Amino acid sequence: MRREIRPAIVLVVALTLITGLVYPLTITGIAGVVFPDQAQGSLVTRNGQVIGSSLIGQSFTSDKYFHGRPSATLGPDPADPSKTTSVPYNAAASSGSNLGPTSKSLIERVQGYVDRLKQENSSQPVPIDLVTASGSGLDPDISPAAAEFQVPRVAKARSLSEDQVRRLVADHTEGRWLGVLGEPRVNVLALNLALDDLGAAQ
C-alpha cells in the first residue's frame, strides 16, 4: 500500500512545485525581460503619474474628449452592498450586459444612446460601437467611424478646425495586425492625450 501512496504523493508535490511555482515564475521573468511594458499592464504615464492603461477603457464625459464604447460593468452599490450598480470600466468586474437582442431593456438603452448621439451629429449614421458595450465592458478602442462621428463635437468644444482633429484621428488609427487580423481601431486614451498635447502646443 505504501509503495503506491508514496510515489503518488511525491508526484503531486513535484507537479505542484513545477506547475504552480517554477513555471509561472519563469514565464513571468521572461515576459518582464522580453515584453516589459505589457508585463507591467501596458500602463500609460503622464508627468510621472500613471493615468491609465492602453488595454482598459476609461469614462470620458466632457465634450472636449472622444468618448469610448458604453461599458456594462457593475460594482457594489454604495447604498446597499448586497446589490450592484453601474460602474463603467470596472476592471475588477469585467463583463458584458448578457442582454440578448430581444431584451426590452437593451433596446431602450441603445435607442437612448442613438437619440442622444443624433442630437450631437445628425449628418452621419451612428456607429454601432458607440451604442453597444463590448463583451468585456473594458474595450479601450473605438472604430475609425466612431471617432469620425465625434470629430465635429470635439473640434467645436476645443475651438479647433475639424481637419485638425481628423488628422489626429488618422494619426492614431491602428490597422489590422499583420494586415489581416482584427479591425482598424483608435485607442481613445491615446487620442485624447494627443488632443491635450495639441491644445497645449497652440
Side-chain angles (χ1 to χ4, degrees), residues 58-173:
Q58 294 184 29
S59 183
F60 292 96
T61 56
S62 170
D63 285 347
K64 292 184 175 183
Y65 290 107
F66 284 87
H67 303 161
R69 296 186 71 168
S71 175
T73 56
L74 302 172
D77 187 340
D80 184 354
S82 67
K83 297 180 181 177
T84 57
T85 186
S86 177
V87 181
Y89 304 104
N90 179 9
S94 172
S95 67
S97 69
N98 292 326
L99 299 177
T102 59
S103 166
K104 183 180 178 184
S105 175
L106 179 62
I107 293 169
E108 289 174 351
R109 183 191 308 166
V110 169
Q111 189 59 54
Y113 287 139
V114 170
D115 292 343
R116 180 175 54 80
L117 290 169
K118 276 295 186 183
Q119 293 175 1
E120 175 184 313
N121 184 353
S122 59
S123 64
Q124 295 185 41
V126 177
I128 190 71
D129 54 324
L130 286 182
V131 298
T132 57
S134 66
S136 69
L138 306 176
D139 198 339
D141 304 319
I142 54 176
S143 65
E148 171 64 28
F149 182 89
Q150 299 180 70
V151 164
R153 169 180 51 80
V154 173
K156 181 180 179 182
R158 288 184 176 261
S159 299
L160 298 170
S161 73
E162 291 188 15
D163 285 341
Q164 283 179 294
V165 179
R166 280 194 183 91
R167 281 195 296 272
L168 211 56
V169 169
D171 291 343
H172 287 80
T173 299

Side-chain angles (χ1 to χ4, degrees), residues 2-13:
R2 290 182 179 178
R3 288 182 180 179
E4 287 85 18
I5 292 176
R6 184 177 177 181
I9 292 173
V10 170
L11 188 60
V12 167
V13 171

Side-chain angles (χ1 to χ4, degrees), residues 27-48:
I27 295 301
T28 301
I30 292 171
V33 173
V34 180
F35 305 107
D37 181 54
Q38 291 89 336
Q40 294 301 315
S42 299
L43 300 178
V44 178
T45 59
R46 179 58 59 99
N47 300 323

